[in-house]
Amino acid sequence: MSLLISFFQENSIEKKIQDAPDKAYEIGVFIGSMLPFVLLVLLAYLIYRYNKNKNN
């Protein structure tokens, strides 16, 4: 299911970049598309670190 959703989002992102008025907009679209993944990785690391310190 998530693969299907990401497939549709990828097309949308590519279209937004093609229709971008300037480079700043392209950078914003790229950051906006990567931000959820970065936040999830950061959250997973914080949970891992918390649990590791809790066991010690």
Side-chain angles (χ1 to χ4, degrees):
M1 177 85 174
S2 74
L3 179 62
L4 182 64
I5 292 171
S6 68
F7 177 73
F8 287 121
Q9 287 178 344
E10 186 174 324
N11 290 338
S12 175
I13 291 169
E14 289 176 4
K15 181 158 177 57
K16 285 180 182 180
I17 289 175
Q18 288 173 355
D19 297 339
D22 58 1
K23 282 286 192 192
Y25 186 81
E26 290 181 29
I27 293 170
V29 169
F30 177 73
I31 291 172
S33 65
M34 295 303 292
L35 191 60
F37 299 111
V38 171
L39 291 177
L40 285 175
V41 168
L42 182 63
L43 179 64
Y45 174 74
L46 290 173
I47 291 170
Y48 166 77
R49 192 170 137 204
Y50 172 78
N51 285 327
K52 184 179 177 185
N53 288 338
K54 187 177 175 184
N55 286 337
N56 290 337

